[in-house]
Amino acid sequence: MIEKMIEYQTVDAQLKSVEQELSSNEDRKKGIAAKKFLDTVNDSLTELDGKAAELEAAFNKYQSTYKKLSETQKEFEGTIEEYSEEDELNFVKKKARELLNELASLEQQATRLAEEIEAVTEQYKTLKKKTASAQKQFRECGQRYTEFKASKAEIQKEITGRLAEMEKEIPPEVMAIYKQKRAEKMFPILFEYTGSGYCPHCRTEFSKLAESKLSKNNVVICDNCGRVLYKK
């Protein structure tokens, strides 16, 4: 049975090689990266839209307030000559100065908001360009990877067929263990134990129980790395 499993793994290694070619394909990687970007970009664009709307509303509010205060300040200046009493004149002048200071503050805030709006607009434009680029990359890389994958389909089918035939000569419970470990991205799965007292894969020292099982069954599973170790 061990010989059959070793032979099976040798053929399976050919299938694993094809799978690695597919998974490491640059077009596949670029396509996945583009897809990840496109999956999240709409949220980013929506967030920027909301931020831009908030800034624009605040900017318009500042402009409206500035206009009203500016008109009020001009009214104060126009009425200063009407006051003869010193206290009244000082009060009006004080109010005019306060209005001027408030206007200056509003002007600074409006300028700062305008700069923020411009920055958000640039971010939005940049993100739209990146989106268009990612869409193009996703299409082109997807097409090339589909063609590459198709070029490997025949050999995959041939190897899979050979493995299916070999499975018929291997006990189902043994095959189930192998396939489970294969699904866990473990490969190679079978390693020959040569009597060193250590796992030939991870170099972990064998326990006495593992040594006993190996002596009895010629097969044991490493407690550390999970590889199937056999002794001829």
Side-chain angles (χ1 to χ4, degrees):
M1 186 268 290
I2 283 295
E3 288 74 14
K4 291 291 183 183
M5 286 302 302
I6 296 170
E7 185 182 354
Y8 183 94
Q9 179 169 266
T10 300
V11 176
D12 194 21
Q14 298 173 27
L15 182 62
K16 180 70 174 178
S17 177
V18 176
E19 291 171 352
Q20 287 175 334
E21 278 190 78
L22 292 171
S23 64
S24 62
N25 179 268
E26 283 302 313
D27 284 316
R28 176 181 178 273
K29 291 178 181 178
K30 289 178 181 178
I32 290 174
K35 181 67 165 57
K36 286 181 178 179
F37 175 80
L38 292 171
D39 284 344
T40 58
V41 72
N42 285 335
D43 290 338
S44 299
L45 289 171
T46 300
E47 184 180 345
L48 284 175
D49 277 335
K51 188 174 181 180
E54 289 177 8
L55 290 171
E56 186 178 5
F59 182 76
N60 291 336
K61 183 179 179 181
Y62 277 128
Q63 281 192 318
S64 177
T65 305
Y66 183 89
K67 183 179 179 181
K68 291 178 182 178
L69 288 176
S70 181
E71 291 172 353
T72 304
Q73 193 269 338
K74 287 179 181 178
E75 290 178 5
F76 268 106
E77 287 185 346
T79 57
I80 287 177
E81 296 180 357
E82 298 177 8
Y83 295 93
S84 56
E85 294 292 332
E86 185 176 352
D87 289 344
E88 292 178 341
L89 186 59
N90 288 337
F91 175 78
V92 172
K93 286 182 178 180
K94 180 183 176 183
K95 285 295 180 181
R97 283 195 300 271
E98 289 176 354
L99 283 170
L100 281 172
N101 291 335
E102 195 169 351
L103 283 169
S105 176
L106 282 171
E107 192 171 359
Q108 289 178 353
Q109 293 178 60
T111 300
R112 188 167 59 251
L113 278 172
E115 291 172 351
E116 287 185 42
I117 291 171
E118 185 177 355
V120 169
T121 301
E122 287 303 312
Q123 289 178 40
Y124 189 88
K125 289 179 180 178
T126 300
L127 204 54
K128 290 293 284 185
K129 287 180 181 178
K130 287 184 178 179
T131 301
S133 177
Q135 288 171 336
K136 181 181 178 182
Q137 178 174 303
F138 181 70
R139 287 194 304 270
E140 293 178 351
C141 290
Q143 179 62 35
R144 287 195 296 268
Y145 177 67
T146 299
E147 293 170 0
F148 178 72
K149 188 176 180 180
S151 73
K152 300 293 180 180
E154 192 61 35
I155 189 171
Q156 279 185 298
K157 182 179 178 181
E158 187 270 328
I159 297 171
T160 302
R162 286 164 60 193
L163 290 172
E165 286 299 314
M166 295 172 75
E167 277 187 42
K168 296 175 183 178
E169 300 181 36
I170 300 171
E173 62 273 16
V174 175
M175 211 57 246
I177 294 173
Y178 182 95
K179 287 187 174 182
Q180 176 61 38
K181 292 184 179 299
R182 181 74 153 80
E184 294 169 358
K185 310 297 184 184
M186 185 185 293
F187 201 87
I189 297 164
L190 304 171
F191 281 83
E192 182 181 1
Y193 176 69
T194 57
S196 63
Y198 294 86
C199 170
H201 174 69
C202 68
R203 307 305 301 167
T204 298
E205 186 176 2
F206 269 19
S207 64
K208 289 184 178 180
L209 179 60
E211 285 276 14
S212 175
K213 286 181 179 179
L214 193 59
S215 298
K216 182 179 179 182
N217 304 318
N218 290 332
V219 175
V220 71
I221 294 176
C222 176
D223 293 331
N224 183 58
C225 67
R227 261 63 182 186
V228 178
L229 311 180
Y230 64 88
K231 183 171 66 174
K232 288 184 179 180

